[in-house]
Amino acid sequence: AQTVTQSQPEMSVQEAETVTLSCTYDTSESDYYLFWYKQPPSRQMILVIRQEAYKQQNATENRFSVNFQKAAKSFSLKISDSQLGDAAMYFCAYRSEGSDRGSTLGRLYFGRGTQLTVWP
Amino acid sequence: DTGVSQNPRHKITKRGQNVTFRCDPISEHNRLYWYRQTLGQGPEFLTYFQNEAQLEKSRLLSDRFSAERPKGSFSTLEIQRTEQGDSAMYLCASSLEGGWETQYFGPGTRLLVL
């Protein structure tokens, strides 16, 4: 089974600074998707950014970017120009990809999360 | 598109009682997932529907748990004879088959079993 590890239970950053959240995963598959989700306190989980394993180019969404190292099975999230609204729990997630659409490859495997605090 | 909705948002029950949660996915999404999230943990997969067919159940889903998705629309998750260990946040997500299949999550139902 796939496992996702987030080794930083908590991180903090000063407003306007940059922070990087780490994520590693274990898989024997060659094709898969990786996601970062954000879960603000008492609010629902929302997608921050996603990456396809077969794409070498790192995904970018405004202030959010990833450093995807397939060989190292690493998928870190960089938040630039941090804002107070970025404070949340961040989850890294893995999803298999396959040709069998009737299979259960759609499930997400989550890490335990990193709680990000943003200081003014 | 009003997003994924879940009801109730909070549920407090006594041990041994039955509870039922409802999830309304994004209307055009044919896949629906249930996850459970306990304090300090990431969400864990429980079960998954493609249209009305339940295609997989996790080992976490004991025989006290049952889920349905009649007509491939909303879904219900029932827990019979609740135990204190069932206390958790129950999350529902939906996706559209094909491509990214990004899962969009609802706000969750927080269950407390006394």
Side-chain angles (χ1 to χ4, degrees):
Chain A
Q2 286 73 19
T3 58
V4 178
T5 303
Q6 294 180 249
S7 59
Q8 306 153 317
E10 298 176 346
M11 290 285 284
S12 62
V13 63
Q14 202 83 27
E15 197 175 6
E17 296 297 309
T18 296
V19 64
T20 299
L21 309 183
S22 65
C23 172
T24 58
Y25 56 94
D26 185 24
T27 184
S28 58
E29 299 173 333
S30 57
D31 294 327
Y32 48 87
Y33 293 104
L34 296 165
F35 304 83
W36 278 98
Y37 280 89
K38 167 185 176 181
Q39 189 176 42
S42 302
R43 295 180 62 186
Q44 66 198 81
M45 197 170 311
I46 58 175
L47 178 70
V48 174
I49 197 166
R50 57 193 184 184
Q51 174 83 38
E52 296 171 274
Y54 64 85
K55 285 190 175 179
Q56 293 185 341
Q57 185 174 4
N58 290 323
T60 300
E61 288 287 343
N62 301 313
R63 298 182 295 107
F64 299 88
S65 62
V66 298
N67 183 5
F68 173 50
Q69 301 289 329
K70 190 172 183 180
K73 297 179 183 176
S74 172
F75 183 61
S76 60
L77 174 69
K78 185 171 81 171
I79 307 174
S80 304
D81 186 25
S82 297
Q83 301 176 359
L84 296 178
D86 294 333
M89 180 71 86
Y90 285 80
F91 291 100
C92 178
Y94 172 105
R95 181 173 73 79
S96 296
E97 176 58 13
S99 59
D100 181 1
R101 287 305 179 190
S103 75
T104 59
L105 298 177
R107 71 155 75 174
L108 290 171
Y109 296 86
F110 286 89
R112 296 182 66 169
T114 297
Q115 181 67 52
L116 178 66
T117 300
V118 182
W119 301 102
Chain B
D1 178 2
T2 58
V4 179
S5 62
Q6 292 186 246
N7 287 289
R9 295 290 306 276
H10 303 273
K11 180 70 176 178
I12 300 174
T13 191
K14 293 182 179 179
R15 189 175 51 187
Q17 298 295 306
N18 298 343
V19 294
T20 300
F21 309 141
R22 175 176 171 130
C23 171
D24 287 90
I26 293 172
S27 57
E28 65 268 25
H29 285 183
N30 63 333
R31 292 188 166 182
L32 187 147
Y33 301 81
W34 285 99
Y35 293 86
R36 182 172 69 186
Q37 185 178 18
T38 53
L39 199 62
Q41 302 290 329
E44 295 175 292
F45 171 80
L46 291 179
T47 190
Y48 146 67
F49 290 86
Q50 179 159 306
N51 300 312
E52 66 276 7
Q54 187 175 17
L55 296 186
E56 186 182 11
K57 295 192 294 185
S58 162
R59 292 171 300 176
L60 295 174
L61 215 65
S62 75
D63 56 6
R64 296 184 297 105
F65 288 70
S66 62
E68 295 181 341
R69 192 183 181 199
K71 302 179 182 178
S73 56
F74 70 92
S75 175
T76 58
L77 178 68
E78 181 183 17
I79 309 174
Q80 296 181 327
R81 306 181 303 280
T82 53
E83 301 173 355
Q84 288 184 326
D86 297 331
S87 296
M89 175 76 85
Y90 290 84
L91 298 171
C92 175
S94 70
S95 70
L96 184 62
E97 180 183 2
W100 284 102
E101 295 191 35
T102 298
Q103 293 181 27
Y104 295 87
F105 284 81
T109 295
R110 185 171 294 282
L111 172 66
L112 177 61
V113 182
L114 301 177

PDB file of all heavy atoms in Angstrom, chain A residues 4-11 21-23 36-37 39 88-93 110-116, chain B residues 37 40-43:
ATOM      1  N   VAL A   4       2.218   7.927   2.758  1.00  0.00           N
ATOM      2  CA  VAL A   4       2.610   9.325   2.615  1.00  0.00           C
ATOM      3  C   VAL A   4       3.099   9.820   3.974  1.00  0.00           C
ATOM      4  O   VAL A   4       2.415   9.625   4.984  1.00  0.00           O
ATOM      5  CB  VAL A   4       1.422  10.176   2.137  1.00  0.00           C
ATOM      6  CG1 VAL A   4       1.819  11.641   2.042  1.00  0.00           C
ATOM      7  CG2 VAL A   4       0.920   9.668   0.787  1.00  0.00           C
ATOM      8  N   THR A   5       4.259  10.440   3.983  1.00  0.00           N
ATOM      9  CA  THR A   5       4.863  10.896   5.231  1.00  0.00           C
ATOM     10  C   THR A   5       5.097  12.395   5.209  1.00  0.00           C
ATOM     11  O   THR A   5       5.731  12.914   4.285  1.00  0.00           O
ATOM     12  CB  THR A   5       6.195  10.178   5.476  1.00  0.00           C
ATOM     13  OG1 THR A   5       5.990   8.761   5.497  1.00  0.00           O
ATOM     14  CG2 THR A   5       6.801  10.606   6.808  1.00  0.00           C
ATOM     15  N   GLN A   6       4.561  13.055   6.208  1.00  0.00           N
ATOM     16  CA  GLN A   6       4.844  14.472   6.419  1.00  0.00           C
ATOM     17  C   GLN A   6       5.582  14.559   7.745  1.00  0.00           C
ATOM     18  O   GLN A   6       5.002  14.339   8.793  1.00  0.00           O
ATOM     19  CB  GLN A   6       3.547  15.283   6.438  1.00  0.00           C
ATOM     20  CG  GLN A   6       2.844  15.297   5.098  1.00  0.00           C
ATOM     21  CD  GLN A   6       1.559  16.101   5.132  1.00  0.00           C
ATOM     22  OE1 GLN A   6       0.472  15.564   5.035  1.00  0.00           O
ATOM     23  NE2 GLN A   6       1.698  17.419   5.263  1.00  0.00           N
ATOM     24  N   SER A   7       6.849  14.873   7.670  1.00  0.00           N
ATOM     25  CA  SER A   7       7.710  14.775   8.852  1.00  0.00           C
ATOM     26  C   SER A   7       7.661  16.001   9.750  1.00  0.00           C
ATOM     27  O   SER A   7       8.265  16.004  10.827  1.00  0.00           O
ATOM     28  CB  SER A   7       9.150  14.537   8.401  1.00  0.00           C
ATOM     29  OG  SER A   7       9.583  15.595   7.569  1.00  0.00           O
ATOM     30  N   GLN A   8       6.951  17.032   9.312  1.00  0.00           N
ATOM     31  CA  GLN A   8       6.883  18.273  10.094  1.00  0.00           C
ATOM     32  C   GLN A   8       5.472  18.437  10.652  1.00  0.00           C
ATOM     33  O   GLN A   8       4.590  18.906   9.945  1.00  0.00           O
ATOM     34  CB  GLN A   8       7.233  19.477   9.217  1.00  0.00           C
ATOM     35  CG  GLN A   8       8.547  19.375   8.485  1.00  0.00           C
ATOM     36  CD  GLN A   8       8.534  20.210   7.201  1.00  0.00           C
ATOM     37  OE1 GLN A   8       7.554  20.198   6.464  1.00  0.00           O
ATOM     38  NE2 GLN A   8       9.615  20.910   6.942  1.00  0.00           N
ATOM     39  N   PRO A   9       5.243  18.087  11.901  1.00  0.00           N
ATOM     40  CA  PRO A   9       3.896  18.255  12.445  1.00  0.00           C
ATOM     41  C   PRO A   9       3.478  19.726  12.497  1.00  0.00           C
ATOM     42  O   PRO A   9       2.296  20.041  12.327  1.00  0.00           O
ATOM     43  CB  PRO A   9       3.998  17.683  13.859  1.00  0.00           C
ATOM     44  CG  PRO A   9       5.220  16.858  13.851  1.00  0.00           C
ATOM     45  CD  PRO A   9       6.149  17.457  12.841  1.00  0.00           C
ATOM     46  N   GLU A  10       4.451  20.608  12.734  1.00  0.00           N
ATOM     47  CA  GLU A  10       4.151  22.035  12.835  1.00  0.00           C
ATOM     48  C   GLU A  10       5.249  22.840  12.148  1.00  0.00           C
ATOM     49  O   GLU A  10       6.425  22.483  12.194  1.00  0.00           O
ATOM     50  CB  GLU A  10       4.066  22.459  14.304  1.00  0.00           C
ATOM     51  CG  GLU A  10       2.979  21.769  15.095  1.00  0.00           C
ATOM     52  CD  GLU A  10       3.010  22.173  16.569  1.00  0.00           C
ATOM     53  OE1 GLU A  10       4.008  22.766  17.004  1.00  0.00           O
ATOM     54  OE2 GLU A  10       2.032  21.875  17.276  1.00  0.00           O
ATOM     55  N   MET A  11       4.817  23.937  11.523  1.00  0.00           N
ATOM     56  CA  MET A  11       5.747  24.888  10.929  1.00  0.00           C
ATOM     57  C   MET A  11       5.199  26.286  11.196  1.00  0.00           C
ATOM     58  O   MET A  11       3.976  26.468  11.326  1.00  0.00           O
ATOM     59  CB  MET A  11       5.892  24.668   9.424  1.00  0.00           C
ATOM     60  CG  MET A  11       6.617  23.385   9.047  1.00  0.00           C
ATOM     61  SD  MET A  11       8.386  23.504   9.325  1.00  0.00           S
ATOM     62  CE  MET A  11       8.874  24.523   7.923  1.00  0.00           C
ATOM     63  N   LEU A  21       7.023  23.128   3.018  1.00  0.00           N
ATOM     64  CA  LEU A  21       6.481  21.973   3.741  1.00  0.00           C
ATOM     65  C   LEU A  21       6.920  20.705   2.999  1.00  0.00           C
ATOM     66  O   LEU A  21       6.788  20.632   1.780  1.00  0.00           O
ATOM     67  CB  LEU A  21       4.952  22.038   3.809  1.00  0.00           C
ATOM     68  CG  LEU A  21       4.342  23.341   4.317  1.00  0.00           C
ATOM     69  CD1 LEU A  21       2.833  23.219   4.401  1.00  0.00           C
ATOM     70  CD2 LEU A  21       4.938  23.743   5.640  1.00  0.00           C
ATOM     71  N   SER A  22       7.385  19.738   3.738  1.00  0.00           N
ATOM     72  CA  SER A  22       7.929  18.546   3.094  1.00  0.00           C
ATOM     73  C   SER A  22       6.923  17.387   3.075  1.00  0.00           C
ATOM     74  O   SER A  22       6.033  17.299   3.926  1.00  0.00           O
ATOM     75  CB  SER A  22       9.206  18.093   3.793  1.00  0.00           C
ATOM     76  OG  SER A  22       8.922  17.690   5.117  1.00  0.00           O
ATOM     77  N   CYS A  23       7.098  16.534   2.101  1.00  0.00           N
ATOM     78  CA  CYS A  23       6.255  15.343   1.936  1.00  0.00           C
ATOM     79  C   CYS A  23       7.054  14.291   1.186  1.00  0.00           C
ATOM     80  O   CYS A  23       7.681  14.587   0.164  1.00  0.00           O
ATOM     81  CB  CYS A  23       4.986  15.699   1.171  1.00  0.00           C
ATOM     82  SG  CYS A  23       3.965  14.273   0.706  1.00  0.00           S
ATOM     83  N   TRP A  36      -1.633  18.689  -2.799  1.00  0.00           N
ATOM     84  CA  TRP A  36      -1.582  19.358  -1.505  1.00  0.00           C
ATOM     85  C   TRP A  36      -2.964  19.952  -1.255  1.00  0.00           C
ATOM     86  O   TRP A  36      -3.495  20.682  -2.100  1.00  0.00           O
ATOM     87  CB  TRP A  36      -0.538  20.472  -1.482  1.00  0.00           C
ATOM     88  CG  TRP A  36       0.852  19.986  -1.228  1.00  0.00           C
ATOM     89  CD1 TRP A  36       1.827  19.736  -2.150  1.00  0.00           C
ATOM     90  CD2 TRP A  36       1.438  19.701   0.051  1.00  0.00           C
ATOM     91  NE1 TRP A  36       2.971  19.305  -1.532  1.00  0.00           N
ATOM     92  CE2 TRP A  36       2.761  19.274  -0.176  1.00  0.00           C
ATOM     93  CE3 TRP A  36       0.966  19.765   1.366  1.00  0.00           C
ATOM     94  CZ2 TRP A  36       3.619  18.920   0.852  1.00  0.00           C
ATOM     95  CZ3 TRP A  36       1.821  19.412   2.386  1.00  0.00           C
ATOM     96  CH2 TRP A  36       3.139  18.994   2.136  1.00  0.00           C
ATOM     97  N   TYR A  37      -3.517  19.611  -0.098  1.00  0.00           N
ATOM     98  CA  TYR A  37      -4.789  20.170   0.337  1.00  0.00           C
ATOM     99  C   TYR A  37      -4.539  21.029   1.574  1.00  0.00           C
ATOM    100  O   TYR A  37      -3.645  20.753   2.375  1.00  0.00           O
ATOM    101  CB  TYR A  37      -5.782  19.056   0.703  1.00  0.00           C
ATOM    102  CG  TYR A  37      -6.479  18.403  -0.458  1.00  0.00           C
ATOM    103  CD1 TYR A  37      -5.927  17.291  -1.098  1.00  0.00           C
ATOM    104  CD2 TYR A  37      -7.710  18.877  -0.917  1.00  0.00           C
ATOM    105  CE1 TYR A  37      -6.579  16.674  -2.153  1.00  0.00           C
ATOM    106  CE2 TYR A  37      -8.370  18.269  -1.968  1.00  0.00           C
ATOM    107  CZ  TYR A  37      -7.801  17.161  -2.584  1.00  0.00           C
ATOM    108  OH  TYR A  37      -8.449  16.548  -3.633  1.00  0.00           O
ATOM    109  N   GLN A  39      -6.545  22.671   4.965  1.00  0.00           N
ATOM    110  CA  GLN A  39      -7.731  22.565   5.809  1.00  0.00           C
ATOM    111  C   GLN A  39      -7.658  23.645   6.883  1.00  0.00           C
ATOM    112  O   GLN A  39      -7.030  23.462   7.928  1.00  0.00           O
ATOM    113  CB  GLN A  39      -7.829  21.175   6.432  1.00  0.00           C
ATOM    114  CG  GLN A  39      -9.128  20.905   7.157  1.00  0.00           C
ATOM    115  CD  GLN A  39      -9.210  19.470   7.678  1.00  0.00           C
ATOM    116  OE1 GLN A  39      -8.236  18.931   8.194  1.00  0.00           O
ATOM    117  NE2 GLN A  39     -10.368  18.845   7.537  1.00  0.00           N
ATOM    118  N   ALA A  88      -3.189  27.164   8.337  1.00  0.00           N
ATOM    119  CA  ALA A  88      -4.079  26.012   8.182  1.00  0.00           C
ATOM    120  C   ALA A  88      -3.284  24.738   8.394  1.00  0.00           C
ATOM    121  O   ALA A  88      -2.065  24.760   8.550  1.00  0.00           O
ATOM    122  CB  ALA A  88      -4.702  25.984   6.776  1.00  0.00           C
ATOM    123  N   MET A  89      -4.009  23.627   8.365  1.00  0.00           N
ATOM    124  CA  MET A  89      -3.359  22.320   8.314  1.00  0.00           C
ATOM    125  C   MET A  89      -3.204  21.969   6.842  1.00  0.00           C
ATOM    126  O   MET A  89      -4.167  22.083   6.074  1.00  0.00           O
ATOM    127  CB  MET A  89      -4.221  21.276   9.021  1.00  0.00           C
ATOM    128  CG  MET A  89      -3.623  19.886   9.020  1.00  0.00           C
ATOM    129  SD  MET A  89      -2.208  19.744  10.103  1.00  0.00           S
ATOM    130  CE  MET A  89      -3.026  19.389  11.659  1.00  0.00           C
ATOM    131  N   TYR A  90      -2.011  21.556   6.460  1.00  0.00           N
ATOM    132  CA  TYR A  90      -1.745  21.193   5.074  1.00  0.00           C
ATOM    133  C   TYR A  90      -1.504  19.689   4.977  1.00  0.00           C
ATOM    134  O   TYR A  90      -0.686  19.126   5.706  1.00  0.00           O
ATOM    135  CB  TYR A  90      -0.531  21.950   4.540  1.00  0.00           C
ATOM    136  CG  TYR A  90      -0.827  23.394   4.249  1.00  0.00           C
ATOM    137  CD1 TYR A  90      -0.863  24.337   5.268  1.00  0.00           C
ATOM    138  CD2 TYR A  90      -1.118  23.822   2.951  1.00  0.00           C
ATOM    139  CE1 TYR A  90      -1.174  25.655   5.015  1.00  0.00           C
ATOM    140  CE2 TYR A  90      -1.420  25.147   2.686  1.00  0.00           C
ATOM    141  CZ  TYR A  90      -1.450  26.056   3.720  1.00  0.00           C
ATOM    142  OH  TYR A  90      -1.763  27.362   3.463  1.00  0.00           O
ATOM    143  N   PHE A  91      -2.215  19.072   4.050  1.00  0.00           N
ATOM    144  CA  PHE A  91      -2.097  17.633   3.839  1.00  0.00           C
ATOM    145  C   PHE A  91      -1.543  17.346   2.450  1.00  0.00           C
ATOM    146  O   PHE A  91      -2.008  17.907   1.456  1.00  0.00           O
ATOM    147  CB  PHE A  91      -3.458  16.949   3.971  1.00  0.00           C
ATOM    148  CG  PHE A  91      -4.012  16.939   5.362  1.00  0.00           C
ATOM    149  CD1 PHE A  91      -4.978  17.857   5.741  1.00  0.00           C
ATOM    150  CD2 PHE A  91      -3.581  16.012   6.289  1.00  0.00           C
ATOM    151  CE1 PHE A  91      -5.498  17.852   7.020  1.00  0.00           C
ATOM    152  CE2 PHE A  91      -4.088  15.986   7.572  1.00  0.00           C
ATOM    153  CZ  PHE A  91      -5.043  16.926   7.944  1.00  0.00           C
ATOM    154  N   CYS A  92      -0.590  16.449   2.418  1.00  0.00           N
ATOM    155  CA  CYS A  92      -0.077  15.916   1.170  1.00  0.00           C
ATOM    156  C   CYS A  92      -0.856  14.630   0.875  1.00  0.00           C
ATOM    157  O   CYS A  92      -1.165  13.855   1.798  1.00  0.00           O
ATOM    158  CB  CYS A  92       1.410  15.620   1.343  1.00  0.00           C
ATOM    159  SG  CYS A  92       2.237  14.892  -0.071  1.00  0.00           S
ATOM    160  N   ALA A  93      -1.202  14.408  -0.381  1.00  0.00           N
ATOM    161  CA  ALA A  93      -1.996  13.228  -0.719  1.00  0.00           C
ATOM    162  C   ALA A  93      -1.520  12.617  -2.024  1.00  0.00           C
ATOM    163  O   ALA A  93      -1.057  13.321  -2.930  1.00  0.00           O
ATOM    164  CB  ALA A  93      -3.479  13.588  -0.820  1.00  0.00           C
ATOM    165  N   PHE A 110      -3.419  10.000   2.443  1.00  0.00           N
ATOM    166  CA  PHE A 110      -3.007  11.264   3.041  1.00  0.00           C
ATOM    167  C   PHE A 110      -1.867  11.071   4.029  1.00  0.00           C
ATOM    168  O   PHE A 110      -1.766  10.032   4.699  1.00  0.00           O
ATOM    169  CB  PHE A 110      -4.178  11.897   3.808  1.00  0.00           C
ATOM    170  CG  PHE A 110      -5.231  12.505   2.939  1.00  0.00           C
ATOM    171  CD1 PHE A 110      -6.302  11.759   2.480  1.00  0.00           C
ATOM    172  CD2 PHE A 110      -5.159  13.851   2.593  1.00  0.00           C
ATOM    173  CE1 PHE A 110      -7.280  12.333   1.697  1.00  0.00           C
ATOM    174  CE2 PHE A 110      -6.140  14.438   1.810  1.00  0.00           C
ATOM    175  CZ  PHE A 110      -7.200  13.680   1.354  1.00  0.00           C
ATOM    176  N   GLY A 111      -1.039  12.113   4.159  1.00  0.00           N
ATOM    177  CA  GLY A 111      -0.114  12.182   5.268  1.00  0.00           C
ATOM    178  C   GLY A 111      -0.840  12.663   6.514  1.00  0.00           C
ATOM    179  O   GLY A 111      -2.047  12.932   6.485  1.00  0.00           O
ATOM    180  N   ARG A 112      -0.090  12.813   7.592  1.00  0.00           N
ATOM    181  CA  ARG A 112      -0.717  13.212   8.858  1.00  0.00           C
ATOM    182  C   ARG A 112      -0.886  14.720   8.976  1.00  0.00           C
ATOM    183  O   ARG A 112      -1.502  15.204   9.921  1.00  0.00           O
ATOM    184  CB  ARG A 112       0.099  12.688  10.026  1.00  0.00           C
ATOM    185  CG  ARG A 112       0.127  11.182  10.090  1.00  0.00           C
ATOM    186  CD  ARG A 112       0.908  10.677  11.276  1.00  0.00           C
ATOM    187  NE  ARG A 112       0.262  11.028  12.544  1.00  0.00           N
ATOM    188  CZ  ARG A 112       0.611  10.546  13.713  1.00  0.00           C
ATOM    189  NH1 ARG A 112       1.600   9.681  13.790  1.00  0.00           N
ATOM    190  NH2 ARG A 112      -0.016  10.911  14.816  1.00  0.00           N
ATOM    191  N   GLY A 113      -0.340  15.459   8.025  1.00  0.00           N
ATOM    192  CA  GLY A 113      -0.556  16.894   8.013  1.00  0.00           C
ATOM    193  C   GLY A 113       0.548  17.693   8.681  1.00  0.00           C
ATOM    194  O   GLY A 113       1.276  17.192   9.544  1.00  0.00           O
ATOM    195  N   THR A 114       0.658  18.949   8.245  1.00  0.00           N
ATOM    196  CA  THR A 114       1.560  19.926   8.856  1.00  0.00           C
ATOM    197  C   THR A 114       0.748  21.152   9.214  1.00  0.00           C
ATOM    198  O   THR A 114       0.084  21.733   8.340  1.00  0.00           O
ATOM    199  CB  THR A 114       2.686  20.334   7.889  1.00  0.00           C
ATOM    200  OG1 THR A 114       3.494  19.198   7.589  1.00  0.00           O
ATOM    201  CG2 THR A 114       3.543  21.428   8.506  1.00  0.00           C
ATOM    202  N   GLN A 115       0.758  21.514  10.479  1.00  0.00           N
ATOM    203  CA  GLN A 115       0.035  22.699  10.941  1.00  0.00           C
ATOM    204  C   GLN A 115       0.907  23.926  10.708  1.00  0.00           C
ATOM    205  O   GLN A 115       1.985  24.053  11.289  1.00  0.00           O
ATOM    206  CB  GLN A 115      -0.303  22.572  12.424  1.00  0.00           C
ATOM    207  CG  GLN A 115      -1.086  23.750  12.977  1.00  0.00           C
ATOM    208  CD  GLN A 115      -2.478  23.843  12.399  1.00  0.00           C
ATOM    209  OE1 GLN A 115      -3.239  22.884  12.407  1.00  0.00           O
ATOM    210  NE2 GLN A 115      -2.819  25.019  11.858  1.00  0.00           N
ATOM    211  N   LEU A 116       0.439  24.814   9.833  1.00  0.00           N
ATOM    212  CA  LEU A 116       1.198  26.018   9.513  1.00  0.00           C
ATOM    213  C   LEU A 116       0.629  27.213  10.271  1.00  0.00           C
ATOM    214  O   LEU A 116      -0.571  27.502  10.180  1.00  0.00           O
ATOM    215  CB  LEU A 116       1.167  26.300   8.009  1.00  0.00           C
ATOM    216  CG  LEU A 116       1.884  27.570   7.566  1.00  0.00           C
ATOM    217  CD1 LEU A 116       3.385  27.441   7.822  1.00  0.00           C
ATOM    218  CD2 LEU A 116       1.622  27.871   6.105  1.00  0.00           C
TER     219      LEU A 116
ATOM    220  N   GLN B  37     -11.626  11.121   9.586  1.00  0.00           N
ATOM    221  CA  GLN B  37     -10.466  11.865  10.075  1.00  0.00           C
ATOM    222  C   GLN B  37     -10.543  11.982  11.589  1.00  0.00           C
ATOM    223  O   GLN B  37     -11.498  12.553  12.125  1.00  0.00           O
ATOM    224  CB  GLN B  37     -10.407  13.256   9.440  1.00  0.00           C
ATOM    225  CG  GLN B  37      -9.162  14.037   9.805  1.00  0.00           C
ATOM    226  CD  GLN B  37      -9.105  15.389   9.126  1.00  0.00           C
ATOM    227  OE1 GLN B  37     -10.108  15.909   8.647  1.00  0.00           O
ATOM    228  NE2 GLN B  37      -7.921  15.981   9.062  1.00  0.00           N
ATOM    229  N   GLY B  40      -5.493  14.841  14.776  1.00  0.00           N
ATOM    230  CA  GLY B  40      -4.063  14.679  14.547  1.00  0.00           C
ATOM    231  C   GLY B  40      -3.695  13.751  13.412  1.00  0.00           C
ATOM    232  O   GLY B  40      -2.520  13.455  13.209  1.00  0.00           O
ATOM    233  N   GLN B  41      -4.694  13.313  12.681  1.00  0.00           N
ATOM    234  CA  GLN B  41      -4.440  12.386  11.572  1.00  0.00           C
ATOM    235  C   GLN B  41      -4.966  12.960  10.264  1.00  0.00           C
ATOM    236  O   GLN B  41      -5.848  13.814  10.257  1.00  0.00           O
ATOM    237  CB  GLN B  41      -5.133  11.046  11.835  1.00  0.00           C
ATOM    238  CG  GLN B  41      -4.729  10.363  13.120  1.00  0.00           C
ATOM    239  CD  GLN B  41      -3.312   9.837  13.074  1.00  0.00           C
ATOM    240  OE1 GLN B  41      -2.824   9.450  12.007  1.00  0.00           O
ATOM    241  NE2 GLN B  41      -2.632   9.841  14.200  1.00  0.00           N
ATOM    242  N   GLY B  42      -4.429  12.433   9.177  1.00  0.00           N
ATOM    243  CA  GLY B  42      -5.003  12.762   7.899  1.00  0.00           C
ATOM    244  C   GLY B  42      -6.229  11.902   7.644  1.00  0.00           C
ATOM    245  O   GLY B  42      -6.439  10.886   8.312  1.00  0.00           O
ATOM    246  N   PRO B  43      -7.046  12.304   6.700  1.00  0.00           N
ATOM    247  CA  PRO B  43      -8.226  11.496   6.377  1.00  0.00           C
ATOM    248  C   PRO B  43      -7.843  10.083   5.940  1.00  0.00           C
ATOM    249  O   PRO B  43      -6.840   9.891   5.247  1.00  0.00           O
ATOM    250  CB  PRO B  43      -8.875  12.273   5.226  1.00  0.00           C
ATOM    251  CG  PRO B  43      -8.391  13.672   5.389  1.00  0.00           C
ATOM    252  CD  PRO B  43      -6.990  13.534   5.920  1.00  0.00           C
TER     253      PRO B  43
END
